[in-house]
Amino acid sequence: MSDQVAAIEVYIVDLSQDRPYLGTLREGEVVDPQGYFVRKQNGTVYPRSNRSLVIRIVTEDGVEGWGETYGIVAPGATAEIIKDLLAGFVVGSDPLDVQAIHDRLYDLMRVRGYNGGFYLDALAGIDIALWDIAGKKAGLPLHKLLGGRYHDKIHCYVSGLPRDTLAERCEFACEWKDKGFDAVKFASPVADDGVVAEMRELRRALGEDFKIACDLHWTQTQASAIELAREIAPYKPWFMEAPLPSEDVQGLQKVAEHSGQTVAVGEEWRTVFDARLRIDAQAVHVIQPEMGHTGVTQFMRIGRYAEAHHLQIMPHATIGAGIFLAASLQASAALRNVVSHEFQHSLLGPFRHFTHDVLSYENGAYTITETPGIGVEPSDAMKQKMTRL
Ligand code: MG
């Protein structure tokens, strides 16, 4: 008889840092009693102290799989979906049926409209852990199970410049250049002197050949995005990310067609259906799937759909404990069109020791490892920051 899933556990991991994500709070941004604050420029809620959800699945034979999903906002909601609803439908399953399990869980809530958000985050965490088990049982790294390796190394770009002034942000970007990186992305909500000045000064500081991307955080209108694209064009942006509110697919198509810039989106997607809407509309040039939202199964479906349309893939990487990042790198190795991957210095700095030493990088590129499964497990340091929910 095949090995079966015996138990699913959910943990919250404390990833608190001195400095909030994207940098110091700006004037008028205050932390509420629940520990949240809102960035004035993009209207988005963030926790003052970051956290993540880690999922442990163990089989009857004692094989242990690790998954992770978003826990930054209302983590109890996602944890409860796993514990109260999904775990009962996964325990007793053959973990090697991982895609079939994913589709069965997806089907459970379709008629009620739960095809995104917290529900799909819960599926993503379970999916990553099941793929980890599948790799460990086969004795193979995840990328081999997904069709094999296209990349030994994956180029990465430094994400966010959490410093208080434009001069300091330029200096910080130059420090990464000195470490061998050739690409950076800045975030418009904390570009206090405006996007054009940010782009101009970074170009001046980093030189002609450095790649500089601009994340607009869904803040523009069609007209303002196209106008802004023309204003920053002399400073040669690498790509322009998330210019419009994500609901406006037709508007995004207009920006992609008329801005003259490479448009990148995808970090909020959960499934290939989200990707299909934008790709079929020719609204995107570069797709940015986020493993913490998609899990391995949907990440690969999104990636294959993008490849069938000859689009570039640059996976997103948010704050996390390192588990979904490891899964993202493994899956990226199995996608031909991955040309770069986001690099969270806040993760690979302070939380570097949360996983065993396989998230390696040098000279601006990640190294793809051969460790079975997703290739990481929580270290003792992470386990001390994990609380079971
Ligand atoms: Mg972004």
Side-chain angles (χ1 to χ4, degrees):
M1 191 171 149
S2 61
D3 191 16
Q4 296 179 343
V5 171
I8 300 183
E9 299 164 1
V10 186
Y11 298 84
I12 190 162
V13 186
D14 175 8
L15 299 171
S16 50
Q17 293 180 260
D18 294 344
R19 200 187 297 264
Y21 184 56
L22 296 178
T24 312
L25 298 187
R26 278 17 182 199
E27 198 182 338
E29 296 175 347
V30 289
V31 179
D32 77 4
Q34 288 295 104
Y36 294 116
F37 68 93
V38 175
R39 287 284 181 201
K40 288 176 78 176
Q41 293 294 327
N42 66 0
T44 299
V45 64
Y46 298 88
R48 172 62 186 84
S49 295
N50 284 302
R51 56 267 174 107
S52 194
L53 284 182
V54 165
I55 290 93
R56 176 178 177 267
I57 299 183
V58 62
T59 71
E60 300 283 0
D61 289 350
V63 182
E64 193 180 55
W66 292 96
E68 183 186 11
T69 186
Y70 272 53
I72 57 172
V73 173
T78 308
E80 197 59 20
I81 290 167
I82 295 173
K83 292 193 303 176
D84 181 75
L85 176 62
L86 299 178
F89 292 99
V90 179
V91 170
S93 301
D94 181 343
L96 300 184
D97 289 333
V98 50
Q99 294 203 53
I101 292 169
H102 173 276
D103 289 342
R104 218 169 57 224
L105 299 181
Y106 184 94
D107 289 349
L108 294 177
M109 293 286 275
R110 175 186 285 108
V111 300
R112 303 192 181 99
Y114 292 94
N115 53 12
F118 293 102
Y119 188 67
L120 268 286
D121 285 356
L123 260 67
I126 290 171
D127 189 73
I128 295 168
L130 289 174
W131 277 105
D132 190 31
I133 290 172
K136 285 171 176 165
K137 289 178 80 70
L140 294 170
L142 178 60
H143 66 262
K144 296 290 187 204
L145 301 190
L146 299 175
R149 160 195 291 256
Y150 284 100
H151 315 286
D152 293 332
K153 292 184 178 296
I154 293 178
H155 175 271
C156 50
Y157 69 86
V158 171
S159 180
L161 303 168
R163 294 292 180 268
D164 291 348
T165 67
L166 180 49
E168 287 169 338
R169 291 193 288 277
C170 288
E171 202 175 306
F172 187 64
C174 288
E175 288 171 21
W176 285 100
K177 183 181 180 184
D178 292 342
K179 291 176 192 167
F181 285 74
D182 70 354
V184 70
K185 180 173 82 185
F186 71 86
S188 69
V190 286
D192 306 307
D193 302 300
V195 168
V196 179
E198 195 88 3
M199 189 69 222
R200 183 184 63 230
E201 294 308 309
L202 282 168
R203 174 60 67 212
R204 195 171 287 166
L206 293 163
E208 275 300 299
D209 298 331
F210 208 86
K211 298 179 181 69
I212 306 171
C214 163
D215 189 349
L216 293 172
H217 277 250
W218 307 274
T219 52
Q220 303 295 311
T221 64
Q222 282 185 47
S224 70
I226 291 169
E227 176 63 23
L228 187 57
R230 288 177 183 150
E231 288 176 344
I232 60 177
Y235 312 112
K236 298 188 175 61
W238 182 24
F239 59 82
M240 197 168 76
E241 179 171 316
L244 297 191
S246 55
E247 300 87 343
D248 187 2
V249 178
Q250 283 92 350
L252 190 65
Q253 186 277 325
K254 295 280 185 228
V255 174
E257 186 177 355
H258 297 295
S259 67
Q261 295 298 336
T262 299
V263 170
V265 293
E267 69 179 81
E268 76 280 19
W269 300 347
R270 264 64 175 190
T271 68
V272 70
F273 306 113
D274 298 320
R276 200 175 79 180
L277 269 179
R278 281 87 184 172
I279 292 173
D280 287 4
Q282 299 190 317
V284 53
H285 302 118
V286 174
I287 68 146
Q288 302 173 299
E290 162 55 61
M291 179 61 76
H293 285 322
T294 63
V296 175
T297 297
Q298 289 291 344
F299 187 99
M300 292 305 293
R301 289 179 187 175
I302 291 168
R304 299 278 188 238
Y305 196 75
E307 288 184 335
H309 294 77
H310 308 287
L311 297 176
Q312 289 187 334
I313 304 168
M314 297 191 203
H316 182 258
T318 194
I319 297 280
I323 294 171
F324 55 51
L325 174 62
S328 186
L329 294 174
Q330 283 291 322
S332 294
L335 288 169
R336 185 205 299 251
N337 285 16
V338 168
V339 295
S340 187
H341 195 294
E342 193 163 6
F343 177 90
Q344 279 291 349
H345 45 79
S346 48
L347 192 165
L348 288 155
F351 305 118
R352 182 79 180 79
H353 60 302
F354 271 27
T355 54
H356 295 303
D357 192 28
V358 289
L359 282 178
S360 55
Y361 63 94
E362 60 177 349
N363 294 325
Y366 292 107
T367 304
I368 304 302
T369 63
E370 290 289 339
T371 313
I374 61 170
V376 299
E377 300 209 339
S379 65
D380 289 342
M382 195 203 290
K383 284 179 178 166
Q384 283 174 13
K385 297 278 188 178
M386 286 167 53
T387 305
R388 185 151 177 204
L389 295 176

